[in-house]
Amino acid sequence: MAYVITPPTIPTVPVRGSDALFPIHRIYCVGRNYAAHAREMGHDPDREPPFFFQKNPDTIVPNGGNFPYPDKSKDVHFEMELVIALSKGGKDIAEADAMDCVYGYALGLDMTRRDLQGVAKKAGRPWEVGKAFENSAPCGEIVPADQVSGLENARIWLDVNGETRQDGNINQLIWNIQETISYLSGLFTLAPGDLIYSGTPAGVGAIVKGDVMKGSVEGIGSLTINVN
Ligand code: MN
């Protein structure tokens, strides 16, 4: 096959214990999937269920390193999240079959230009400028599911410069992992290579150049990102 331009590189994330890489198809994100975070953003989780948005696959920052402070924003927020990596997809996946689609898990940051997102929300516009900008999706190495246990009750937290800013538990997810995959597969055809950022606990806040973010989920390890 010939191409009229050089085809883009497939974005990838490393896999723990393997030299092979995980290729990324799409990046889905769940909005307001922890009640306390929904409330801190001014919403009532009892009246508004979580929802989905997407980031571009090439916004990934694989396995730690640097997050360049983005243009056009003065209020860039961290959102620490558990990422679900899929090895199987489909449409209308039943909750009972959802875990069969999971390849593994990773630590992710849903970096957000909160000021631009706020303008978009107010105007009833899409969120891409706030959410899907370059380097907005730092993601740690993927840990295969058979190496992870106790995730349903795992602490999830984020330290900035050594101070804990977000501190929650995966058991606080409004849509758990199975429900998230099942709901999402009703709206989109899921595929091998999809990543799902499952939502962030309360405590989101702004970073500045020079900050060091260290995110963790019990049983998965930690992800360190420098803001520069
Ligand atoms: Mn998020």
Side-chain angles (χ1 to χ4, degrees):
M1 170 64 75
Y3 296 97
V4 296
I5 56 168
T6 306
T9 310
I10 298 173
T12 59
V13 189
V15 174
R16 183 175 297 173
S18 173
D19 292 333
L21 298 170
F22 184 90
I24 302 168
H25 175 248
R26 291 181 183 164
I27 301 177
Y28 296 99
C29 302
V30 190
R32 298 178 207 142
N33 204 12
Y34 290 79
H37 171 65
R39 289 191 194 97
E40 78 180 344
M41 298 305 290
H43 298 272
D44 179 355
D46 296 325
R47 295 171 60 101
E48 296 175 68
F51 55 92
F52 300 104
F53 60 91
Q54 292 183 50
K55 288 180 186 258
N56 300 306
D58 63 354
T59 60
I60 208 90
V61 178
N63 207 19
N66 295 321
F67 171 77
Y69 198 95
D71 296 330
K72 302 283 191 286
S73 178
K74 293 186 162 52
D75 191 26
V76 177
H77 278 205
F78 49 78
E79 296 190 359
M80 179 61 205
E81 312 204 357
L82 172 71
V83 178
I84 306 156
L86 302 188
S87 54
K88 268 174 61 181
K91 276 169 71 80
D92 297 319
I93 298 164
E95 284 175 35
D97 299 326
M99 295 316 260
D100 294 340
C101 299
V102 176
Y103 176 79
Y105 301 95
L107 308 171
L109 282 161
D110 167 15
M111 298 305 296
T112 303
R113 293 194 284 207
R114 194 71 77 200
D115 42 3
L116 300 191
Q117 185 198 26
V119 170
K121 277 185 192 171
K122 226 179 221 171
R125 291 179 188 150
W127 284 10
E128 278 87 347
V129 294
K131 288 289 195 180
F133 56 95
E134 275 60 44
N135 304 298
S136 62
C139 185
E141 61 181 359
I142 293 174
V143 184
D146 60 7
Q147 297 175 34
V148 179
S149 61
L151 198 54
E152 52 290 331
N153 275 305
R155 184 183 173 215
I156 176 171
W157 73 104
L158 180 82
D159 295 349
V160 180
N161 305 329
E163 186 188 326
T164 302
R165 301 288 299 274
Q166 291 189 273
D167 200 349
N169 194 295
I170 301 303
N171 66 21
Q172 297 163 340
L173 283 171
I174 295 172
W175 288 344
N176 66 25
I177 294 165
Q178 296 93 309
E179 290 166 335
T180 296
I181 293 169
S182 182
Y183 284 128
L184 186 58
S185 73
L187 295 164
F188 299 92
T189 301
L190 299 182
D194 286 344
L195 297 181
I196 305 171
Y197 280 60
S198 60
T200 196
V204 299
I207 39 87
V208 296
K209 284 185 188 184
D211 282 348
V212 178
M213 302 182 284
K214 185 178 175 195
S216 305
V217 172
E218 222 174 333
I220 297 189
S222 66
L223 171 70
T224 300
I225 300 283
N226 304 296
V227 183
N228 58 13

